[in-house]
């Protein structure tokens, strides 16, 4: 069969190219086989990536067993938890584009025939998938797997509990000893943080969309089954190369709808909206925010994983994992079982025989946590192009809320006010100039949301922002307000005391202002100076699109 790698290894004119492979110890026999990129985000700064060197070795073994030659190449990755609450978080979402571009660069520059993508954390997963779809090559995602839940105060916990413990400590609800107990117990080892945060959301959705093998999203990082999965991923990509199954045959309108349905059933992170929009953009599929609400209205929320509830990814795995969720959705006719996957089989074939083993971890369609999905898109005069909330993590009493705005022009000033006790029940905290362009980089707001939760204000205070939230956030946390303030969006015109009404069931967010008042504020508005004027973030700010379009780069 004809291979892309023939461009660097076949014919007399490629003797110089071959000599460079020989310089690294590759043999003639290895060069006669397909060359498969093993794109690993291994580093010693991200718990989710700390062990990916072992995963990569297992993937390479699988590729060799199936008759290919693995070629290890690197990818960067930001740890959102370590980057949280300071300038580092400006780099996180923006790094998705670097990961996509650099993955494309390494594979195309060296003309590799396929790829096993080994990410684990938030922006690395979608960045690699975007690259695979852009190049339309045979590709399999093999994540590093979730962290086991930690222990604190006699309960299973994950990282979100620690962020909330900081808020509780600031409010005097716990002492320093309890904070330290949580600090040392919340994250017991390697893997992506144990709740249904963005990393695990995207790793589960890679299964749902068909670009990863069953088990990718839920098998724990420390399990022997994770190493087996890695070997099978290496074997699977070789079969894709032989059959010429490429990323765009798998990721298309049908599979994206399947992913959205699983998203709603699982109660995934709001960041999944950004990433699915970006993946769809690379796949050439029209996907807009209206579709999220359309599917949310049909697909019930079946899971309340942390931070929405007490269960963790390890519990979802023990319950049957994503195949169990898919089997339940198939039973209700809520996903298309004919969609192709990297196994070479359809979704329906992959999940045949799968079933839910614990109806409290994955509830049946007849007894969901809610009849609508985990995410909701809202529109109104604050967000003409939409904004997003993780509905499944909102307390029932906050699904509808009216209160006065408390307006802040950065996350830093907002968190300072929260820690100093200046936010009171009923308030609507507004954080702006934190969008893709204004941040730049659209920082996650886990510190303010978890502080409010830790202070027991998550059932009385709402937060809206043109930035975004961690998957670990809970409460009436409404992000991705578009257009953002830095693009002249209405959120930039809000003032302290403005009465804001949030109606999540009816997909509405409004501020009580007359047309005359809007016009007067627009006339008086003076745009602030950019937050960042140098480095690649300044270039990013000039090229990035709205969150309502996935915060992708302009063509």
């Amino acid at each position: 069969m004809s291979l892309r790698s023939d461009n660097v290894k076949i014919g007399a004119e490629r003797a110089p190219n071959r000599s460079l492979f020989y310089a690294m110890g590759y043999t003639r026999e290895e060069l006669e086989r397909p060359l498969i990129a093993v794109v690993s985000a291994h580093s010693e700064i991200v718990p989710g990536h700390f062990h990916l060197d072992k995963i990569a070795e297992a993937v390479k073994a699988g590729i060799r067993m199936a008759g290919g030659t693995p070629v290890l190449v690197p990818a960067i990755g930001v740890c959102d938890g370590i980057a949280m609450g300071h300038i580092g978080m400006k780099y996180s979402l923006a790094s998705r584009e670097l990961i996509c571009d650099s993955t494309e660069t390494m594979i195309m520059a060296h003309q590799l025939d396929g790829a096993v993508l080994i990410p684990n954390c938030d922006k690395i997963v979608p960045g690699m998938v975007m690259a695979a779809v852009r190049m339309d090559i045979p590709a399999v995602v093999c994540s590093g797997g979730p962290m086991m839940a930690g222990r604190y105060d006699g309960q299973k916990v994950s990282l979100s509990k620690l962020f909330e413990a900081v808020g509780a400590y600031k409010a005097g609800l716990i002492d320093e000893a309890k904070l330290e107990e949580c600090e040392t117990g919340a994250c017991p080892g390697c893997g992506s943080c144990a709740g249904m945060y963005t990393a695990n959301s995207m790793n589960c959705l890679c299964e749902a969309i068909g670009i990863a093998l069953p088990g990718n999203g839920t098998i724990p990082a420390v399990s022997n089954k994770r190493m087996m999965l890695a070997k099978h991923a290496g074997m699977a990509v070789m079969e894709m190369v032989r059959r010429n199954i490429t990323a765009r045959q798998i990721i298309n309108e049908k599979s994206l709808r399947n992913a959205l349905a699983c998203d709603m059933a699982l109660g995934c992170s709001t960041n999944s909206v950004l990433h699915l929009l970006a993946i769809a953009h690379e796949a050439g599929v029209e996907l807009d925010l209206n579709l999220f609400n359309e599917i949310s209205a049909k697909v019930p929320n079946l899971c309340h994983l942390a931070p929405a509830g007490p269960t963790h990814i390890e519990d979802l795995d023990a319950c049957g994992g994503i195949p169990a969720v898919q089997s339940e959705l198939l039973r209700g006719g809520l996903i298309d079982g004919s969609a192709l996957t990297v196994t070479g089989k359809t979704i329906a074939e992959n999940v045949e025989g799968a079933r839910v083993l614990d109806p409290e971890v994955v509830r049946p369609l007849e007894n969901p946590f809610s009849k609508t999905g985990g995410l909701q898109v809202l529109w109104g005069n604050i967000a003409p192009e939409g904004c997003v909330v993780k509905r499944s993590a909102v307390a029932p009493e906050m699904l509808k809320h009216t209160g006065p705005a408390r307006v802040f022009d950065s996350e830093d000033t907002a968190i300072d006010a929260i820690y100093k006790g200046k936010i009171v029940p009923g308030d609507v905290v507004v954080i702006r100039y934190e969008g893709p362009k204004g941040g730049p980089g659209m920082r996650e707001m886990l510190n303010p949301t978890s502080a409010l939760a830790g202070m027991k204000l998550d059932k009385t205070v709402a937060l809206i922002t043109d930035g975004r939230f961690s998957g670990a956030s809970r409460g009436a946390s409404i992000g991705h307000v578009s257009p953002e303030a830095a693009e002249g969006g209405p959120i930039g015109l809000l003032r302290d005391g403005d009465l804001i009404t949030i109606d999540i069931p009816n997909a509405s967010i409004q501020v009580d202002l007359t047309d005359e008042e809007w016009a007067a504020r627009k006339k008086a508005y003076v745009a602030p100076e950019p937050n960042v004027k140098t480095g690649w973030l300044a270039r990013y700010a000039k090229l990035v699109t709205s969150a309502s379009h996935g915060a992708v780069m302009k063509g």
Side-chain angles (χ1 to χ4, degrees), residues 307-322:
T311 52
H312 296 80
I313 303 297
E314 64 194 59
D315 302 307
L316 178 58
D317 187 63
C319 179
I322 302 307

Side-chain angles (χ1 to χ4, degrees), residues 290-529:
N290 290 292
L291 184 60
F292 285 79
N293 276 5
E294 177 189 320
I295 292 178
S296 181
K298 298 176 182 176
V299 180
N301 178 226
L302 306 181
C303 302
H304 261 195
L305 297 150
T311 52
H312 296 80
I313 303 297
E314 64 194 59
D315 302 307
L316 178 58
D317 187 63
C319 179
I322 302 307
V325 176
Q326 290 174 311
S327 68
E328 191 66 13
L329 295 177
L330 272 172
R331 184 172 69 84
L334 296 171
I335 59 174
D336 189 334
S338 69
L340 181 66
T341 75
V342 293
T343 65
K345 299 178 181 179
T346 65
I347 290 286
E349 290 172 323
N350 283 350
V351 306
E352 186 176 356
R355 61 188 179 90
V356 174
L357 301 177
D358 185 340
E360 278 306 306
V361 176
V362 179
R363 288 193 174 182
L365 294 172
E366 295 79 11
N367 182 36
F369 285 100
S370 69
K371 293 182 179 180
T372 54
L375 298 179
Q376 182 81 37
V377 179
L378 315 179
W379 283 273
N381 59 3
I382 295 174
E385 295 178 8
C387 55
V388 184
V389 63
K390 188 172 183 176
R391 178 175 180 163
S392 59
V394 179
E397 54 266 48
M398 287 299 290
L399 290 172
K400 294 186 178 183
H401 178 77
T402 298
R406 297 294 309 279
V407 181
F408 302 92
D409 285 347
S410 71
E411 177 191 9
D412 309 278
T413 53
I415 192 67
D416 183 64
I418 293 168
Y419 283 158
K420 289 179 178 177
K422 295 181 179 180
I423 303 302
V424 300
D427 282 349
V428 177
V429 176
V430 177
I431 304 177
R432 60 194 183 189
Y433 298 105
E434 291 286 5
K437 179 183 180 70
M442 206 179 182
R443 285 196 287 183
E444 286 186 345
M445 303 290 168
L446 181 54
N447 275 344
T449 58
S450 56
L452 291 171
M455 293 174 172
K456 309 298 183 186
L457 291 173
D458 57 300
K459 295 182 180 179
T460 57
V461 172
L463 195 157
I464 68 173
T465 180
D466 54 9
R468 60 194 176 92
F469 296 109
S470 165
S473 295
R474 62 184 175 95
S477 304
I478 299 164
H480 309 192
V481 171
S482 301
E484 61 175 294
E487 290 275 40
I491 190 174
L493 303 178
L494 298 179
R495 295 178 183 172
D496 278 348
D498 287 346
L499 203 60
I500 293 175
T501 297
I502 298 162
D503 186 345
I504 294 173
N506 290 303
S508 173
I509 183 166
Q510 300 280 348
V511 61
D512 186 13
L513 291 178
T514 64
D515 292 343
E516 292 77 15
E517 180 62 20
W518 275 121
R521 292 188 186 186
K522 287 179 183 177
K523 186 176 181 180
Y525 176 75
V526 177
E529 288 289 312

